[in-house]
Structure formats: C-alpha cells, structure tokens
Amino acid sequence: MTPSPERRRELLDTAAEVFAAQGYNATTVRKIADAAGMLAGSLYYHFDSKESMLDEILSAFLTELWEGYDTVLAAGLGPRETIEALVTESFREIDRHRAAVAIYQKESRTLSAQPRFHYLSDSQQKFEKAWLGTLERGVAARVFRADLDIRLTYRFVRDTVWVAASWYRPGGQHSPEEIARQYLSMVLDGIAVRP
C-alpha cells in the first residue's frame, strides 16, 4: 500500500515545524516521529532520511516562491510596483510556508555547503539579483532616492520582510496582504508625518 499524498504532506508539515523550532542538526527522526504521533521506524516508510524531508520542504517552498517572483518580474511593472509585488508575494509565502521560511533563514548558509542543497546558493544569488536590479532600476528612473545605498537597502528590506516568519502565524489578525501593505508603507513612505 502506497502512503497517501495527504499523509506525506502532513508529515512534511510536522517535520518543518520541528526543524524550525529545534534546528536541523538538533532534530532527530525520533523527534519528528514523536511530533507526528508515530514510531520512528514508521517514518522510514514515507522518507529515507531527515535530509530527504528537509530537501523536500525547502525545494517545495523555493519552487513556489520563484513561481510567484518570476510572474512579478515578468509583468513589466515599474520599480516601485515591482517592489510592492515582491514584498506582497513574500508575505504570501510566509503565510503558506512559515516553517520552511524559518528553516531557510536559519539553516541555508550551512546547508548550501552540502552538494544536495547547492540550489540554496543558486536561489540566493537569483533572489539578490532580482531585488538589486529592481532597486537600481528605481534609482535610475528617479522613483527611488539617488543617495540610496542599494545593497544596504536590499538587505534592510529582505531582512525586515523575512524575519516576520519568526512571529507570523497563519490565520492571525492580519492577512499577508495587509501586513505587506503596512510594511510597504513604512519602507517606501517612512513613519514620520510629513509637514
């Protein structure tokens, strides 16, 4: 009998929560199995290792993220609208894959040194290129201030958005789009009242 895709997804969701809370190295197959309410040996019926589980969690998250980002980048929007759409898409991904985002934030630097996870480095480079290119386009078009340090601005926006995975909970008081709107207001317009 083949395990159902729904059960596999449930187990990956459980594993993602355990990895996010405890870290990849501190997480054992037994801890994942305990959280899933099953024997550790039974988990091997579904996955051959915790590394396979983590790989599936991260690759699914990044595949979905890039589908959204590529759609935004191909839309031919202006620089400000592109930033707005990328931030909104990022919050949607945090909503859908909060634990995977937290794992990516904490573990990608260490994991990317392993051949199986080299795609994490590739994704980071693609991510940086998309954001830096949009910011540079905005400065050139005089949509963003000429005195911006593009790399520092990119890091600020990136970190400000993705750290939300540490506190955001799906189904909370605010939708991903509402949070994105507030973040964008602060990032693009500041928090001071203009005279």
Side-chain angles (χ1 to χ4, degrees), residues 156-170:
F156 172 76
V157 173
R158 176 198 65 194
D159 293 350
T160 300
V161 170
W162 292 111
V163 77
S166 67
W167 57 261
Y168 178 81
R169 295 295 174 264

Side-chain angles (χ1 to χ4, degrees), residues 74-154:
L77 302 171
R80 181 181 173 116
E81 294 77 19
T82 300
I83 292 290
E84 291 170 345
L86 290 173
V87 167
T88 302
E89 188 60 34
S90 298
F91 277 106
R92 288 179 181 140
E93 286 305 312
I94 291 169
D95 183 60
R96 289 187 287 253
H97 298 284
R98 187 204 55 77
V101 172
I103 296 164
Y104 182 80
Q105 291 293 98
K106 291 185 224 173
E107 309 279 357
S108 63
R109 186 172 302 187
T110 305
L111 289 171
S112 62
Q114 299 176 30
R116 182 173 192 159
F117 293 100
H118 189 72
Y119 64 87
L120 297 174
S121 293
D122 295 341
S123 184
Q124 180 57 39
Q125 290 171 6
K126 187 177 173 185
F127 189 76
E128 189 172 303
K129 182 179 175 187
W131 285 82
L132 288 174
T134 302
L135 290 167
E136 287 168 357
R137 204 164 46 96
V139 169
R142 297 183 180 187
V143 174
F144 302 138
R145 293 188 345 238
D147 66 333
L148 284 183
D149 180 315
I150 299 297
R151 189 160 289 280
L152 184 60
T153 303
Y154 156 68

Side-chain angles (χ1 to χ4, degrees), residues 22-42:
Q22 299 183 12
Y24 176 68
N25 288 331
T27 298
T28 62
V29 170
R30 178 178 299 282
K31 287 179 181 178
I32 296 168
D34 287 348
M38 63 193 306
L39 298 173
S42 300

Side-chain angles (χ1 to χ4, degrees), residues 2 15 17 67 84 99 110 115 133 185-186 191:
T2 306
E17 292 296 335
E67 285 171 2
E84 291 170 345
T110 305
S185 173
M186 289 182 277
I191 62 171

